[in-house]
Amino acid sequence: MAKAVARPVPFTHVHLDDVFWAPKLKVNRERTLRAQYDQCQETGRIGAFELGWKPGDPNQPHIFWDSDVAKWIEAVAYSLADQPDADLERLVNEVAELVASAQQPDGYLNVHFTVAEPEKRWTNLRDWHELYCAGHLIEAAVAHHAATGNRVLLDALCRYADYIGTVFGTGEGQKRGYCGHEEIELALVKLAGATGEQRYLDLASYFVDERGQGDPHYFDVEAQARGEGVEALLHRHGGHSRYEYNQSHVPVREQSEAVGHAVRAMYLYSAMADLAGALGDDALKAACERLWADLTERKMYVTGGIGPSSRNEGFTSPFDLPNETAYAETCAAIGLVFWAQRLLQLDLDSRYADVMERALYNGTISGVSLDGERFFYVNPLASSGGHHRQSWFGCACCPPNLARMMASLAGYVASTTADGVALHLYAAGTIDADGRQLTVATEYPWDGTVTITVGTAGNWDLALRIPGWCRDWSVSVNGLPTEAEVTKGYAALRRDWMAGDQVTLNLAMPVALVEACPRVGDDLGRVAITRGPVVYCLEAEDNGIDPRLLALPAGAKFVTRWEPGMLGGVVVIDSVALAPRLDGWQGELYRPAGSTAWTQVPLRAIPYYAWDNRDAGAMAVWLPLH
Amino acid sequence: MAKAVARPVPFTHVHLDDVFWAPKLKVNRERTLRAQYDQCQETGRIGAFELGWKPGDPNQPHIFWDSDVAKWIEAVAYSLADQPDADLERLVNEVAELVASAQQPDGYLNVHFTVAEPEKRWTNLRDWHELYCAGHLIEAAVAHHAATGNRVLLDALCRYADYIGTVFGTGEGQKRGYCGHEEIELALVKLAGATGEQRYLDLASYFVDERGQGDPHYFDVEAQARGEGVEALLHRHGGHSRYEYNQSHVPVREQSEAVGHAVRAMYLYSAMADLAGALGDDALKAACERLWADLTERKMYVTGGIGPSSRNEGFTSPFDLPNETAYAETCAAIGLVFWAQRLLQLDLDSRYADVMERALYNGTISGVSLDGERFFYVNPLASSGGHHRQSWFGCACCPPNLARMMASLAGYVASTTADGVALHLYAAGTIDADGRQLTVATEYPWDGTVTITVGTAGNWDLALRIPGWCRDWSVSVNGLPTEAEVTKGYAALRRDWMAGDQVTLNLAMPVALVEACPRVGDDLGRVAITRGPVVYCLEAEDNGIDPRLLALPAGAKFVTRWEPGMLGGVVVIDSVALAPRLDGWQGELYRPAGSTAWTQVPLRAIPYYAWDNRDAGAMAVWLPLH
């Protein structure tokens, strides 16, 4: 049975005051959330819910605008639950009430298809994001109610979900459809959890299991009903399989390869993991495990970025991981975190937490500037210097997605298990796991020493994740070295805890060069510099040269230094690199091998997530060995 | 003054009976030309000239069909001039007469805009290839007349060119336009040469010099006349500058960087070189030299392929030369040969011949299978095994372009200079350079010994190109070692030649590893295997493994062997490579650097041009050093 073996300790029960996340959460709260409110206002996304738009007016509400506002509501709600803020609460309540006011008498709630194209409601599930927007509104409603106790949005979204439940399903007269952009599935699981209503879980199951069923395919049925040829989607997405693009090529239980649009895939797989746990559904869990292996063993950047291609915002062939043209959408890495956390509750296997950590410290937070107000949609692993964060996007899915992930970050730290508490991420702060209190002190990820003070006596397991990146670790209790059995990457300490007991985990955290599987052609003969969970990169700013030209000499030695004033406080890594002399190349592009002189130059690496926060310049993660 | 210092010895005066080209010319004559005739027939391209198509009929003649038939006529004409063939001559005369019969009373000659959209004549020079098709018909007509003496096509195209001359120009009531796809410019220079008519040279000059002039831009003027917004082209070509795409962003004399669509660029630059020589125009020559430096020092593959991107079929940023996604259109490499040969006549500088040779032995002839009947449009330098030649294309520019280049290949071998004869390419055969007879014996490119027997007495220079790839060479006359002064890469021997004098050039031709300028990120830390002018590659077929996984150990030794029965006769290169052990990678994508074991495996390299002629499999040119 696939029933979950663990439950996340909710972020409301974890308080972070650490050196790494706490300042970022503060920036998120104080800068990002407000900046995004301004963007949603200025672009008309919030005002659109007044339903004042009329044909002929400028700035027609876009089909995915609702989701941007929804994610902002969700992010603010998480932030309020963690840290009250009267001003933000007033704002979010206003917006929530405005959103709810846009609900139609039959329960429908979607700005575009209410004011702009009402006759097209539910006529193109494949492309028009209606159920996707509904899903984000549901997530927002659940979060808003949990944070504020205000039911206005939750009640509205229950009505909407109930209406959706009348439209879609296998019953007489119902549409056997599902959304081209998955999202509503995981949202309905949340709604079931918030309301205790089984029918929302059933509807989530329907959407997940109906996907890829049916012959003819539902998306072709509705395309023909619109008078379109069935080739339409094939052309829209540049020759990619029209079904694989949105993971509807085969029923989900038969899927084994991560395909198509990466964000859609992550949201679907997250719902599959949710349902596997909620229903004890082994087949769904097995599908997740196959997809996980395909994704993390063949299709994931070292940063946790996924989906290399801009053509489909998604997956290509195994081991195709180009660096400079990497798409690696911020939302996709965030989606990977969502999925990893869910699988982790099913198994308590640290390989899920390893990937979650990889994405959290690298490929997700690279998406936001240190000042919290500029964002990457695309996260390449090398750059000529022309790729920069922007304050907003026409398709603005990533900024509020980052905001809600950051505001709920503390929720990824720990789980309650049958036998006690499991720690996944290490960050200074306090944890209340169903009454078991822990206080964590650490400078992680800059230092590998983690001290956990037990606040609640009793006989229970404290399971400590030993990160996959760590080759040398030890644990002591009250200063005495202790043996701990490691199961699926977690070192479990079971004892009669006394309040005040101190557990110290020492994770050796040297600079480590990593290599990719040789099948990754773009990284063959190259290494990436890492330390702990943090992947490093080289920027021209620090190295005085386009770092894409630099090579690492064999046996390079590395020196680390904590730089509190740099990039919000980072450990930098210094070493020497080899730089080719370019002055002999005038007039030539190809020469006999070995005719380039290489000179030693200083090398400085900074955390990848912090790149592009200073002067524009080239960047590289993978360096050739020379 | 930029007047030409040399004239190519026409291919009709060079007879090749060598080991490399002669068999390929035979395949071209006996297989390719007939297969392409069949394709042009079956697809309706030839029949279209009967002007029988009516609105509503299937298979509407495409705007560029005329050019495919024209290039086939040109190729057959060259072949006939070299080797009479009554059957081919009957066919080409039939087709030429059919083409001429499609001429309209006013001289216009274009199938699509006669039968399908007559009202759109000259309304979209930017996109619709009208003058491009005219240019190819002119080249066909000149070749057909030269080969057969038949004037039917030449007379028709003179009438068409005269009509074009009334439509375009700076005079009252004339359109100040020029073609979005250059081609007519170099064709008009040929027509001027064939007819002695200055007005065709003047029209070529007009088209070249008008390009990029004018504010508003001509292409915007005509777009607005069509009722389009000026943004149309910007969208068509994925955000690339609408003007740079077709080299009309600034007047040609101000251009310094190779930009946009690569074939268009090559045809334009070729016309610029033609006019520089014909008119002694130093400014045009200087522009060519700037563009040449930009192209060959920053934007050319080691195979002579150019134009890395499929998005614009053309150029991107300097040093952006990805291997597996290389576009490197066959036509673009052919265009580079055209341009290089023209610049070579202006300067007799072997850097032009070096590039010409690089493209001829590698990136052009890779475009045709050894059986002469399948073609690459795109010539990547690495492949997962999914890229294969096809017998034809909807856009079929490359196959007949290859056919005409191959049929006139002997015309690239030598030039007549003011002082004598210059040899650019080495191939066994006979050369009659304005009465000076030479007989060449060599196994080039498989062996570097070239013996030239002088057939005509007299006092003149024999200039022998010392290839840029050659680091060690010597020359002897009648067995006696001789010093020769090398000027711009040509070793000049001046003496009173006696009939029967024998000159022997020894070009050391070891296996040579080459490296790219380190700015080429995709090749950093990698080498390509070459020997003489031939670039080698590794195919899975010979190596039993995806060669993209292989690395070369430092100090690898190479053994060459002539394999007469393999791939039409090639020298293969054997060595050892290092292959990563993949069996430790189950379940992992990233590991500590150095944890992969590498084992020695046999390596076999074959000439790049000959890849994909056996079982489908992966291929690589650039190998990392390990």
Side-chain angles (χ1 to χ4, degrees), chain A residues 300 302 513 515 517-519 549 582 589-591 593-594 596, chain B residues 300 513 515 517-519 549 582 589-591 593-594 596:
Chain A
M300 178 183 70
V302 70
L513 301 180
E515 63 186 19
C517 174
R519 292 191 188 280
L549 294 176
L582 299 171
L589 188 52
Y590 301 102
R591 295 199 304 195
T596 299
Chain B
M300 178 183 70
L513 301 181
E515 64 186 18
C517 173
R519 292 191 187 279
L549 293 175
L582 299 171
L589 188 53
Y590 301 102
R591 294 199 304 195
T596 299

PDB file of all heavy atoms in Angstrom, chain A residues 300 302 513 515 517-519 549 582 589-591 593-594 596, chain B residues 300 513 515 517-519 549 582 589-591 593-594 596:
ATOM      1  N   MET A 300      17.669  15.896 -15.843  1.00  0.00           N
ATOM      2  CA  MET A 300      17.688  16.969 -14.845  1.00  0.00           C
ATOM      3  C   MET A 300      19.050  17.650 -14.841  1.00  0.00           C
ATOM      4  O   MET A 300      20.082  16.982 -14.788  1.00  0.00           O
ATOM      5  CB  MET A 300      17.378  16.375 -13.466  1.00  0.00           C
ATOM      6  CG  MET A 300      17.404  17.379 -12.324  1.00  0.00           C
ATOM      7  SD  MET A 300      17.118  16.555 -10.711  1.00  0.00           S
ATOM      8  CE  MET A 300      18.663  15.627 -10.532  1.00  0.00           C
ATOM      9  N   VAL A 302      22.128  19.822 -13.183  1.00  0.00           N
ATOM     10  CA  VAL A 302      22.768  19.716 -11.874  1.00  0.00           C
ATOM     11  C   VAL A 302      22.177  20.733 -10.893  1.00  0.00           C
ATOM     12  O   VAL A 302      22.294  20.583  -9.676  1.00  0.00           O
ATOM     13  CB  VAL A 302      24.303  19.874 -12.020  1.00  0.00           C
ATOM     14  CG1 VAL A 302      24.680  21.303 -12.374  1.00  0.00           C
ATOM     15  CG2 VAL A 302      25.038  19.390 -10.774  1.00  0.00           C
ATOM     16  N   LEU A 513      34.051  18.658  -6.870  1.00  0.00           N
ATOM     17  CA  LEU A 513      33.787  18.713  -8.307  1.00  0.00           C
ATOM     18  C   LEU A 513      32.884  17.546  -8.658  1.00  0.00           C
ATOM     19  O   LEU A 513      33.111  16.418  -8.209  1.00  0.00           O
ATOM     20  CB  LEU A 513      35.103  18.606  -9.089  1.00  0.00           C
ATOM     21  CG  LEU A 513      36.131  19.693  -8.787  1.00  0.00           C
ATOM     22  CD1 LEU A 513      37.385  19.474  -9.635  1.00  0.00           C
ATOM     23  CD2 LEU A 513      35.550  21.076  -9.043  1.00  0.00           C
ATOM     24  N   GLU A 515      30.842  15.387 -11.863  1.00  0.00           N
ATOM     25  CA  GLU A 515      30.764  15.154 -13.298  1.00  0.00           C
ATOM     26  C   GLU A 515      29.374  14.626 -13.616  1.00  0.00           C
ATOM     27  O   GLU A 515      28.704  14.050 -12.750  1.00  0.00           O
ATOM     28  CB  GLU A 515      31.827  14.152 -13.754  1.00  0.00           C
ATOM     29  CG  GLU A 515      31.681  12.760 -13.155  1.00  0.00           C
ATOM     30  CD  GLU A 515      32.845  11.835 -13.508  1.00  0.00           C
ATOM     31  OE1 GLU A 515      33.913  12.333 -13.898  1.00  0.00           O
ATOM     32  OE2 GLU A 515      32.671  10.609 -13.388  1.00  0.00           O
ATOM     33  N   CYS A 517      26.894  12.117 -15.963  1.00  0.00           N
ATOM     34  CA  CYS A 517      26.966  10.866 -16.711  1.00  0.00           C
ATOM     35  C   CYS A 517      27.526  11.179 -18.103  1.00  0.00           C
ATOM     36  O   CYS A 517      27.103  12.152 -18.731  1.00  0.00           O
ATOM     37  CB  CYS A 517      25.573  10.256 -16.817  1.00  0.00           C
ATOM     38  SG  CYS A 517      25.529   8.795 -17.866  1.00  0.00           S
ATOM     39  N   PRO A 518      28.474  10.390 -18.578  1.00  0.00           N
ATOM     40  CA  PRO A 518      29.105  10.711 -19.862  1.00  0.00           C
ATOM     41  C   PRO A 518      28.124  10.807 -21.030  1.00  0.00           C
ATOM     42  O   PRO A 518      28.452  11.389 -22.051  1.00  0.00           O
ATOM     43  CB  PRO A 518      30.078   9.544 -20.071  1.00  0.00           C
ATOM     44  CG  PRO A 518      30.341   9.018 -18.698  1.00  0.00           C
ATOM     45  CD  PRO A 518      29.069   9.224 -17.935  1.00  0.00           C
ATOM     46  N   ARG A 519      26.940  10.259 -20.851  1.00  0.00           N
ATOM     47  CA  ARG A 519      25.962  10.383 -21.937  1.00  0.00           C
ATOM     48  C   ARG A 519      25.478  11.812 -22.133  1.00  0.00           C
ATOM     49  O   ARG A 519      24.879  12.131 -23.153  1.00  0.00           O
ATOM     50  CB  ARG A 519      24.756   9.485 -21.657  1.00  0.00           C
ATOM     51  CG  ARG A 519      25.072   8.002 -21.734  1.00  0.00           C
ATOM     52  CD  ARG A 519      23.793   7.183 -21.711  1.00  0.00           C
ATOM     53  NE  ARG A 519      24.062   5.770 -21.607  1.00  0.00           N
ATOM     54  CZ  ARG A 519      24.412   4.989 -22.645  1.00  0.00           C
ATOM     55  NH1 ARG A 519      24.531   5.524 -23.844  1.00  0.00           N
ATOM     56  NH2 ARG A 519      24.646   3.714 -22.473  1.00  0.00           N
ATOM     57  N   LEU A 549      35.426  30.470 -21.210  1.00  0.00           N
ATOM     58  CA  LEU A 549      36.730  30.159 -21.792  1.00  0.00           C
ATOM     59  C   LEU A 549      37.641  29.418 -20.820  1.00  0.00           C
ATOM     60  O   LEU A 549      38.690  28.911 -21.211  1.00  0.00           O
ATOM     61  CB  LEU A 549      37.439  31.450 -22.202  1.00  0.00           C
ATOM     62  CG  LEU A 549      36.807  32.243 -23.331  1.00  0.00           C
ATOM     63  CD1 LEU A 549      37.567  33.542 -23.539  1.00  0.00           C
ATOM     64  CD2 LEU A 549      36.815  31.415 -24.603  1.00  0.00           C
ATOM     65  N   LEU A 582      44.422  34.273 -26.098  1.00  0.00           N
ATOM     66  CA  LEU A 582      43.645  34.519 -27.313  1.00  0.00           C
ATOM     67  C   LEU A 582      44.414  35.362 -28.317  1.00  0.00           C
ATOM     68  O   LEU A 582      43.982  35.535 -29.450  1.00  0.00           O
ATOM     69  CB  LEU A 582      42.338  35.227 -26.955  1.00  0.00           C
ATOM     70  CG  LEU A 582      41.420  34.412 -26.023  1.00  0.00           C
ATOM     71  CD1 LEU A 582      40.270  35.262 -25.547  1.00  0.00           C
ATOM     72  CD2 LEU A 582      40.911  33.176 -26.748  1.00  0.00           C
ATOM     73  N   LEU A 589      40.742  30.498 -37.025  1.00  0.00           N
ATOM     74  CA  LEU A 589      39.671  29.905 -36.233  1.00  0.00           C
ATOM     75  C   LEU A 589      40.033  28.469 -35.846  1.00  0.00           C
ATOM     76  O   LEU A 589      39.581  27.968 -34.829  1.00  0.00           O
ATOM     77  CB  LEU A 589      38.355  29.944 -37.019  1.00  0.00           C
ATOM     78  CG  LEU A 589      37.075  29.550 -36.315  1.00  0.00           C
ATOM     79  CD1 LEU A 589      36.870  30.302 -35.016  1.00  0.00           C
ATOM     80  CD2 LEU A 589      35.879  29.777 -37.232  1.00  0.00           C
ATOM     81  N   TYR A 590      40.868  27.825 -36.661  1.00  0.00           N
ATOM     82  CA  TYR A 590      41.303  26.442 -36.383  1.00  0.00           C
ATOM     83  C   TYR A 590      42.816  26.370 -36.515  1.00  0.00           C
ATOM     84  O   TYR A 590      43.388  26.914 -37.454  1.00  0.00           O
ATOM     85  CB  TYR A 590      40.619  25.466 -37.346  1.00  0.00           C
ATOM     86  CG  TYR A 590      39.117  25.547 -37.225  1.00  0.00           C
ATOM     87  CD1 TYR A 590      38.354  26.233 -38.168  1.00  0.00           C
ATOM     88  CD2 TYR A 590      38.473  24.983 -36.130  1.00  0.00           C
ATOM     89  CE1 TYR A 590      36.979  26.346 -38.026  1.00  0.00           C
ATOM     90  CE2 TYR A 590      37.092  25.096 -35.982  1.00  0.00           C
ATOM     91  CZ  TYR A 590      36.356  25.780 -36.933  1.00  0.00           C
ATOM     92  OH  TYR A 590      35.003  25.895 -36.777  1.00  0.00           O
ATOM     93  N   ARG A 591      43.443  25.683 -35.583  1.00  0.00           N
ATOM     94  CA  ARG A 591      44.899  25.542 -35.584  1.00  0.00           C
ATOM     95  C   ARG A 591      45.258  24.139 -35.123  1.00  0.00           C
ATOM     96  O   ARG A 591      44.421  23.426 -34.562  1.00  0.00           O
ATOM     97  CB  ARG A 591      45.532  26.551 -34.609  1.00  0.00           C
ATOM     98  CG  ARG A 591      45.346  27.972 -34.996  1.00  0.00           C
ATOM     99  CD  ARG A 591      46.342  28.878 -34.305  1.00  0.00           C
ATOM    100  NE  ARG A 591      46.313  28.765 -32.849  1.00  0.00           N
ATOM    101  CZ  ARG A 591      46.865  29.635 -32.029  1.00  0.00           C
ATOM    102  NH1 ARG A 591      47.502  30.701 -32.510  1.00  0.00           N
ATOM    103  NH2 ARG A 591      46.815  29.472 -30.729  1.00  0.00           N
ATOM    104  N   ALA A 593      46.160  21.270 -32.827  1.00  0.00           N
ATOM    105  CA  ALA A 593      45.861  21.121 -31.408  1.00  0.00           C
ATOM    106  C   ALA A 593      47.123  21.341 -30.591  1.00  0.00           C
ATOM    107  O   ALA A 593      48.221  20.960 -30.994  1.00  0.00           O
ATOM    108  CB  ALA A 593      45.293  19.732 -31.133  1.00  0.00           C
ATOM    109  N   GLY A 594      46.962  21.967 -29.449  1.00  0.00           N
ATOM    110  CA  GLY A 594      48.102  22.183 -28.570  1.00  0.00           C
ATOM    111  C   GLY A 594      48.847  23.470 -28.849  1.00  0.00           C
ATOM    112  O   GLY A 594      49.828  23.773 -28.180  1.00  0.00           O
ATOM    113  N   THR A 596      47.601  26.432 -28.514  1.00  0.00           N
ATOM    114  CA  THR A 596      47.146  27.517 -27.640  1.00  0.00           C
ATOM    115  C   THR A 596      47.879  27.435 -26.306  1.00  0.00           C
ATOM    116  O   THR A 596      47.925  26.383 -25.671  1.00  0.00           O
ATOM    117  CB  THR A 596      45.636  27.392 -27.373  1.00  0.00           C
ATOM    118  OG1 THR A 596      44.952  27.501 -28.611  1.00  0.00           O
ATOM    119  CG2 THR A 596      45.161  28.476 -26.436  1.00  0.00           C
TER     120      THR A 596
ATOM    121  N   MET B 300      32.670  29.954 -38.943  1.00  0.00           N
ATOM    122  CA  MET B 300      32.744  28.853 -39.909  1.00  0.00           C
ATOM    123  C   MET B 300      33.102  27.555 -39.187  1.00  0.00           C
ATOM    124  O   MET B 300      34.033  27.516 -38.390  1.00  0.00           O
ATOM    125  CB  MET B 300      33.813  29.186 -40.959  1.00  0.00           C
ATOM    126  CG  MET B 300      34.030  28.103 -42.010  1.00  0.00           C
ATOM    127  SD  MET B 300      35.367  28.557 -43.158  1.00  0.00           S
ATOM    128  CE  MET B 300      36.811  28.404 -42.050  1.00  0.00           C
ATOM    129  N   LEU B 513      45.631  16.718 -35.408  1.00  0.00           N
ATOM    130  CA  LEU B 513      44.528  17.134 -34.546  1.00  0.00           C
ATOM    131  C   LEU B 513      44.444  18.650 -34.607  1.00  0.00           C
ATOM    132  O   LEU B 513      45.473  19.327 -34.517  1.00  0.00           O
ATOM    133  CB  LEU B 513      44.765  16.683 -33.109  1.00  0.00           C
ATOM    134  CG  LEU B 513      44.916  15.172 -32.920  1.00  0.00           C
ATOM    135  CD1 LEU B 513      45.120  14.849 -31.434  1.00  0.00           C
ATOM    136  CD2 LEU B 513      43.705  14.431 -33.459  1.00  0.00           C
ATOM    137  N   GLU B 515      42.454  22.227 -33.142  1.00  0.00           N
ATOM    138  CA  GLU B 515      41.606  22.794 -32.104  1.00  0.00           C
ATOM    139  C   GLU B 515      40.958  24.056 -32.648  1.00  0.00           C
ATOM    140  O   GLU B 515      41.478  24.689 -33.567  1.00  0.00           O
ATOM    141  CB  GLU B 515      42.413  23.112 -30.841  1.00  0.00           C
ATOM    142  CG  GLU B 515      43.480  24.175 -31.034  1.00  0.00           C
ATOM    143  CD  GLU B 515      44.358  24.375 -29.791  1.00  0.00           C
ATOM    144  OE1 GLU B 515      44.377  23.481 -28.931  1.00  0.00           O
ATOM    145  OE2 GLU B 515      45.015  25.428 -29.714  1.00  0.00           O
ATOM    146  N   CYS B 517      39.466  27.964 -31.987  1.00  0.00           N
ATOM    147  CA  CYS B 517      39.701  29.106 -31.099  1.00  0.00           C
ATOM    148  C   CYS B 517      38.914  28.860 -29.813  1.00  0.00           C
ATOM    149  O   CYS B 517      37.748  28.451 -29.854  1.00  0.00           O
ATOM    150  CB  CYS B 517      39.231  30.376 -31.787  1.00  0.00           C
ATOM    151  SG  CYS B 517      39.292  31.822 -30.716  1.00  0.00           S
ATOM    152  N   PRO B 518      39.530  29.088 -28.675  1.00  0.00           N
ATOM    153  CA  PRO B 518      38.847  28.788 -27.411  1.00  0.00           C
ATOM    154  C   PRO B 518      37.514  29.510 -27.232  1.00  0.00           C
ATOM    155  O   PRO B 518      36.690  29.104 -26.406  1.00  0.00           O
ATOM    156  CB  PRO B 518      39.857  29.249 -26.346  1.00  0.00           C
ATOM    157  CG  PRO B 518      41.175  29.208 -27.033  1.00  0.00           C
ATOM    158  CD  PRO B 518      40.900  29.551 -28.474  1.00  0.00           C
ATOM    159  N   ARG B 519      37.301  30.555 -28.002  1.00  0.00           N
ATOM    160  CA  ARG B 519      36.007  31.247 -27.887  1.00  0.00           C
ATOM    161  C   ARG B 519      34.848  30.395 -28.394  1.00  0.00           C
ATOM    162  O   ARG B 519      33.695  30.707 -28.123  1.00  0.00           O
ATOM    163  CB  ARG B 519      36.044  32.562 -28.670  1.00  0.00           C
ATOM    164  CG  ARG B 519      36.975  33.596 -28.055  1.00  0.00           C
ATOM    165  CD  ARG B 519      36.765  34.938 -28.713  1.00  0.00           C
ATOM    166  NE  ARG B 519      37.748  35.911 -28.272  1.00  0.00           N
ATOM    167  CZ  ARG B 519      37.670  36.598 -27.135  1.00  0.00           C
ATOM    168  NH1 ARG B 519      36.645  36.392 -26.321  1.00  0.00           N
ATOM    169  NH2 ARG B 519      38.608  37.462 -26.808  1.00  0.00           N
ATOM    170  N   LEU B 549      30.515   9.738 -26.998  1.00  0.00           N
ATOM    171  CA  LEU B 549      30.984   9.415 -25.653  1.00  0.00           C
ATOM    172  C   LEU B 549      32.502   9.278 -25.589  1.00  0.00           C
ATOM    173  O   LEU B 549      33.069   9.208 -24.495  1.00  0.00           O
ATOM    174  CB  LEU B 549      30.377   8.084 -25.190  1.00  0.00           C
ATOM    175  CG  LEU B 549      28.873   8.075 -24.974  1.00  0.00           C
ATOM    176  CD1 LEU B 549      28.407   6.666 -24.641  1.00  0.00           C
ATOM    177  CD2 LEU B 549      28.510   9.026 -23.845  1.00  0.00           C
ATOM    178  N   LEU B 582      29.899   2.935 -18.449  1.00  0.00           N
ATOM    179  CA  LEU B 582      28.565   3.449 -18.131  1.00  0.00           C
ATOM    180  C   LEU B 582      27.855   2.588 -17.102  1.00  0.00           C
ATOM    181  O   LEU B 582      26.793   2.955 -16.610  1.00  0.00           O
ATOM    182  CB  LEU B 582      27.723   3.512 -19.408  1.00  0.00           C
ATOM    183  CG  LEU B 582      28.291   4.436 -20.488  1.00  0.00           C
ATOM    184  CD1 LEU B 582      27.533   4.266 -21.788  1.00  0.00           C
ATOM    185  CD2 LEU B 582      28.239   5.888 -20.020  1.00  0.00           C
ATOM    186  N   LEU B 589      22.881  10.592 -12.076  1.00  0.00           N
ATOM    187  CA  LEU B 589      23.163  11.463 -13.209  1.00  0.00           C
ATOM    188  C   LEU B 589      24.383  12.329 -12.930  1.00  0.00           C
ATOM    189  O   LEU B 589      25.081  12.728 -13.846  1.00  0.00           O
ATOM    190  CB  LEU B 589      21.925  12.325 -13.511  1.00  0.00           C
ATOM    191  CG  LEU B 589      21.927  13.184 -14.763  1.00  0.00           C
ATOM    192  CD1 LEU B 589      22.252  12.380 -16.011  1.00  0.00           C
ATOM    193  CD2 LEU B 589      20.574  13.873 -14.931  1.00  0.00           C
ATOM    194  N   TYR B 590      24.650  12.584 -11.636  1.00  0.00           N
ATOM    195  CA  TYR B 590      25.809  13.390 -11.243  1.00  0.00           C
ATOM    196  C   TYR B 590      26.561  12.663 -10.144  1.00  0.00           C
ATOM    197  O   TYR B 590      25.946  12.128  -9.219  1.00  0.00           O
ATOM    198  CB  TYR B 590      25.356  14.783 -10.765  1.00  0.00           C
ATOM    199  CG  TYR B 590      24.593  15.515 -11.853  1.00  0.00           C
ATOM    200  CD1 TYR B 590      23.202  15.592 -11.831  1.00  0.00           C
ATOM    201  CD2 TYR B 590      25.271  16.062 -12.939  1.00  0.00           C
ATOM    202  CE1 TYR B 590      22.503  16.216 -12.864  1.00  0.00           C
ATOM    203  CE2 TYR B 590      24.574  16.692 -13.975  1.00  0.00           C
ATOM    204  CZ  TYR B 590      23.197  16.761 -13.922  1.00  0.00           C
ATOM    205  OH  TYR B 590      22.516  17.363 -14.942  1.00  0.00           O
ATOM    206  N   ARG B 591      27.871  12.653 -10.263  1.00  0.00           N
ATOM    207  CA  ARG B 591      28.710  11.983  -9.263  1.00  0.00           C
ATOM    208  C   ARG B 591      29.968  12.807  -9.034  1.00  0.00           C
ATOM    209  O   ARG B 591      30.289  13.706  -9.822  1.00  0.00           O
ATOM    210  CB  ARG B 591      29.140  10.595  -9.776  1.00  0.00           C
ATOM    211  CG  ARG B 591      28.002   9.630  -9.944  1.00  0.00           C
ATOM    212  CD  ARG B 591      28.491   8.191  -9.999  1.00  0.00           C
ATOM    213  NE  ARG B 591      29.480   7.972 -11.042  1.00  0.00           N
ATOM    214  CZ  ARG B 591      29.834   6.761 -11.463  1.00  0.00           C
ATOM    215  NH1 ARG B 591      29.284   5.675 -10.932  1.00  0.00           N
ATOM    216  NH2 ARG B 591      30.731   6.617 -12.410  1.00  0.00           N
ATOM    217  N   ALA B 593      33.512  14.063  -9.449  1.00  0.00           N
ATOM    218  CA  ALA B 593      34.361  14.004 -10.628  1.00  0.00           C
ATOM    219  C   ALA B 593      35.425  12.940 -10.435  1.00  0.00           C
ATOM    220  O   ALA B 593      35.938  12.740  -9.332  1.00  0.00           O
ATOM    221  CB  ALA B 593      35.001  15.366 -10.872  1.00  0.00           C
ATOM    222  N   GLY B 594      35.745  12.257 -11.503  1.00  0.00           N
ATOM    223  CA  GLY B 594      36.794  11.249 -11.442  1.00  0.00           C
ATOM    224  C   GLY B 594      36.300   9.880 -11.057  1.00  0.00           C
ATOM    225  O   GLY B 594      37.089   8.946 -10.959  1.00  0.00           O
ATOM    226  N   THR B 596      34.266   8.055 -12.814  1.00  0.00           N
ATOM    227  CA  THR B 596      34.008   7.228 -13.983  1.00  0.00           C
ATOM    228  C   THR B 596      35.314   6.586 -14.444  1.00  0.00           C
ATOM    229  O   THR B 596      36.318   7.270 -14.623  1.00  0.00           O
ATOM    230  CB  THR B 596      33.453   8.082 -15.140  1.00  0.00           C
ATOM    231  OG1 THR B 596      32.233   8.672 -14.732  1.00  0.00           O
ATOM    232  CG2 THR B 596      33.218   7.239 -16.383  1.00  0.00           C
TER     233      THR B 596
END
